[in-house]
Structure formats: C-alpha cells, structure tokens
Amino acid sequence: CYLRTGHGEFEQVEYYMSEVTRLGADLNDPDSVLFGMTHLSNTLVMLTRFDEALQEAEKTLAYAREHGNLHYQAEIQRWAIPICHLRNGDVAAATAALEEGMEIAVQIGDRASEAFCAYLQGRIAMDRGYLQDALSLSRRSQAAADATGFPASRALGACAVGTCYFTIGGTLTEAALQLHEEALQLVDMPSGSSLASPVWAEVGHCVLASGKVDDAKHLFHRALTERTALINLARPSALIGTIDVALLEHRQGDAAHTLTELEEYVAERSMNDLRPAVLFTAAAVAAGADDHTTALLRLAECRDLALDADMRIMLLDVHVAKTRSLRASGRLDEAATAEAEAREVAASVAADISDAALRATYLASVEARFA
C-alpha cells in the first residue's frame, strides 16, 4: 500500500487492500480488516471513483464503530469521507465528519489524523472567507504534521499556512513564499513525494501571481505528469494553472484547448465542488479573447454557485473580474456597481478578522487589487 500508493499505482493497491480485507476476515482480525477497508477507501478516492469510495468508507466507519476502534474511526473521517462529501457539495456533512475525526484524534493522540482534519477544516474556512480561522487551523495542521515527522504531511501543513498568508497578502506575501519553498523542499525528499501533486499545483498558482511564470509552468507540469498519490485530485488545479499561464503568454488557442480538457475531466467525475472554479476559468478564457459577453455570462453562473456555497473568496474574485470585463466593454456605470459589490464582500471578510493587524493587512492587499 505505502510503496505503490506513493507512485500512483492505484490498481495494484486496490487489489492488495482487497486481499488484506479478505485475509483479515478469514483470520477474524478486525485490525487487518480495517486497514484494508480504510486504504481501499482512500485508493478509490485517489482514483476519483467517489461514489464507490463513499460507500466503502461508510462501511469502514460502521465496522470501526462496531469494534470500538478509535484509530480507524479517526482515519476514515480525516480524509476519505469528507473529501467525498465535499465533491458532492455537502459541506455540512464534510464538516461533521472532520469534527468527529478531530475529536477522536485528540482523544487518542493521533497527530496524523489531527493534521489532516485541521488541513481540510482550514480549506473549508478559507473558501468561506474566514481567513483568521483558516490561518489558525492551517497552523494547527502544520504543528501536528511536524510532530509526525513525515515529510509529505509536513509539506501539506507548510503549504496550507503559506497559502493563507498569500491570500491575506500584503506584508505576509514574503512569508508565504518562504513557506512554499519549504514545502517544495519537503516533497522533493524521497519520503515526501507521495503528496507532492497538490503542493506543486498550489505553489504554482502563488508563484504565478508573483510574476514567476516559468517557475509556475514547471510546477504545473510536474503536478500533471509525475505520478504521486494525489495526481488525479490535483489535476484540475494544475490544468487551471496551465490555462492561466497560456493566457498570460497570449496563447489563446492553448488556453481554450486546455479549458475543454478541464471541463470534461470535472464533469465526468461530477466534481461539484470545482464547478465554480471551472466557470471562473472559462470566464477568464473568454475575456482573454475579448469576448466579454461570454465572460460575464460565465461569471454570473459562477457567482450564483459561490453564493449558494458561501464561497466568499471566490465571490470576491468574481466581482473583481466582472469589474474588469465591464470596463473593457465600456459599461462604466455597471463596472462601478460591480466594484462596489466587490468592496462589500471584502468588507464582510475583513469583519470576521478580529486581529486588527491581520485585518489591516488584508484590506490593504484588497485595495491594491482595485488600484
């Protein structure tokens, strides 16, 4: 499991974990059964077979509860179950699983499960615009991951804190880039590469926003081509990054071609949580072709989904992009209204930051975007 998963050899893992489960049942060994069931669930998620994964994961959780095994109750709820619920757009179910997983992890001293639970909780908080909560949870994930000593987990923790800093912006940007560099060094270690794909993709987006196009292009390429445990899950983010690079380099045809690949990949797997990001990217491709009518239509669809999911960070991006397209179309009064809507979202995000210095830093970085 550990050797083959890290290199993305999922079909082999699926076979062996099924065998572990069968042999554990033959031997009446619940721990072996739970190991096989948990890691089969994880593998099905990595294969993006989410419906099967959720079914297997819920069976695993029921079996772990039946046998009073707290370790696997925490492990199955730290990743497989919440990932499937998030894919289905059910944030409440994902949050409930993570909260129970975190409670058990703390009870039994399982720092690995604590790290993963805090990591995903931080992601949810970030999407919803609770930046101070996201930063606190990401720091908790980093501390728990560091306590495990595993480079792959430590890389995810460092990357998450770095992305929080980058999202807040301003004076925290340099610290963000330093943490991302640390994450890249950790995933380049032999025992750190298993979770490298999302780190490469995420850092790629941040370095691209910093103007380092060639570095970003290299990171997106690695995320798309080097086989790791999370290569399939990280693919949409890496494809979006590849599109952003193509638009910056004025390769409109390449951007449109990759957008089609992205749309098909997400649709085939019903990755509902990624639909806003796909629509936002489609709007960017249309705007890059000076088709602002289509761009505004895609942004309107994205806005509706972001509102339904309470994704305030995406909503802010939508209003900023809408402002640009309206200005480019000469619709200046509507652009002013869109900018006012963007400022309103930014103000609501800032209102949930109790730390005065952090709030000021965030508002200054937002103001720079408008400038």
Side-chain angles (χ1 to χ4, degrees):
C1 179
Y2 294 118
L3 291 173
R4 295 185 183 277
T5 296
H7 296 285
E9 298 175 6
F10 303 119
E11 289 76 10
Q12 291 289 324
V13 181
E14 184 178 1
Y15 166 76
Y16 283 114
M17 291 307 96
S18 297
E19 281 294 280
V20 168
T21 302
R22 182 184 65 80
L23 291 168
D26 290 346
L27 295 169
N28 193 27
D29 179 5
D31 281 0
S32 294
V33 172
L34 283 166
F35 183 98
M37 293 177 74
T38 299
H39 290 262
L40 175 59
S41 300
N42 292 343
T43 301
L44 291 170
V45 172
M46 293 171 195
L47 286 164
T48 66
R49 288 157 53 185
F50 299 105
D51 294 333
E52 295 173 70
L54 184 56
Q55 184 178 21
E56 183 68 22
E58 288 177 338
K59 284 168 50 182
T60 303
L61 179 58
Y63 190 87
R65 285 171 173 166
E66 178 186 344
H67 290 272
N69 190 306
L70 294 176
H71 172 79
Y72 284 107
Q73 288 181 51
E75 184 169 338
I76 200 65
Q77 293 188 99
R78 78 187 189 193
W79 197 70
I81 287 179
I83 287 289
C84 290
H85 284 313
L86 289 173
R87 170 262 190 175
N88 292 336
D90 192 344
V91 177
T95 299
L98 288 166
E99 287 175 350
E100 183 175 341
M102 178 68 87
E103 183 179 345
I104 295 171
V106 172
Q107 178 184 340
I108 65 176
D110 182 349
R111 301 309 300 275
S113 289
E114 180 185 351
F116 275 96
C117 285
Y119 174 80
L120 288 178
Q121 287 174 322
R123 293 293 175 189
I124 293 170
M126 173 71 74
D127 286 345
R128 292 184 156 189
Y130 296 106
L131 299 182
Q132 188 168 335
D133 291 344
L135 182 56
S136 176
L137 286 161
S138 296
R139 285 171 170 164
R140 181 175 183 179
S141 176
Q142 183 183 25
D146 287 347
T148 70
F150 292 119
S153 299
R154 292 180 60 208
L156 278 183
C159 187
V161 177
T163 301
C164 285
Y165 283 161
F166 200 88
T167 303
I168 295 166
T171 56
L172 294 176
T173 301
E174 187 58 36
L177 295 175
Q178 290 175 1
L179 280 166
H180 281 168
E181 182 59 34
E182 178 185 335
L184 292 176
Q185 292 172 4
L186 286 164
V187 297
D188 275 340
M189 296 175 67
S191 55
S193 61
S194 62
L195 303 181
S197 297
V199 172
W200 289 327
E202 190 164 317
V203 175
H205 285 288
C206 293
V207 298
L208 182 62
S210 301
K212 301 175 183 177
V213 179
D214 288 340
D215 289 347
K217 191 185 304 186
H218 174 66
L219 289 168
F220 294 137
H221 179 73
R222 293 190 75 179
L224 290 168
T225 59
E226 296 187 29
R227 295 198 64 80
T228 75
L230 302 184
I231 183 172
N232 295 326
L233 294 177
R235 187 169 186 82
S237 178
L239 288 173
I240 290 171
T242 302
I243 291 167
D244 290 341
V245 169
L247 291 173
L248 281 171
E249 294 181 338
H250 306 291
R251 293 184 286 108
Q252 189 65 33
D254 290 342
H257 176 77
T258 307
L259 174 63
T260 299
E261 181 182 352
L262 169 68
E263 291 172 332
E264 291 175 351
Y265 189 89
V266 170
E268 287 170 1
R269 291 157 180 80
S270 299
M271 301 169 88
N272 296 315
D273 56 323
L274 297 181
R275 287 176 61 205
V278 173
L279 287 166
F280 186 83
T281 305
V285 173
D290 290 326
D291 181 2
H292 293 288
T293 300
T294 299
L296 289 166
L297 287 172
R298 297 291 86 80
L299 288 171
E301 295 176 77
C302 182
R303 176 203 60 210
D304 291 345
L305 292 177
L307 279 170
D308 287 344
D310 192 25
M311 298 172 66
R312 288 189 294 174
I313 298 302
M314 174 62 74
L315 195 59
L316 175 60
D317 291 340
V318 166
H319 287 312
V320 171
K322 181 181 176 182
T323 302
R324 291 172 181 160
S325 278
L326 288 168
R327 284 176 180 164
S329 303
R331 297 157 63 179
L332 300 184
D333 289 344
E334 294 173 80
T337 300
E339 180 176 328
E341 291 172 331
R343 291 182 182 278
E344 184 178 341
V345 175
S348 75
V349 171
D352 288 317
I353 303 175
S354 61
D355 184 298
L358 204 63
R359 183 171 61 252
T361 299
Y362 172 70
L363 286 172
S365 71
V366 171
E367 199 60 38
R369 292 180 68 179
F370 293 124

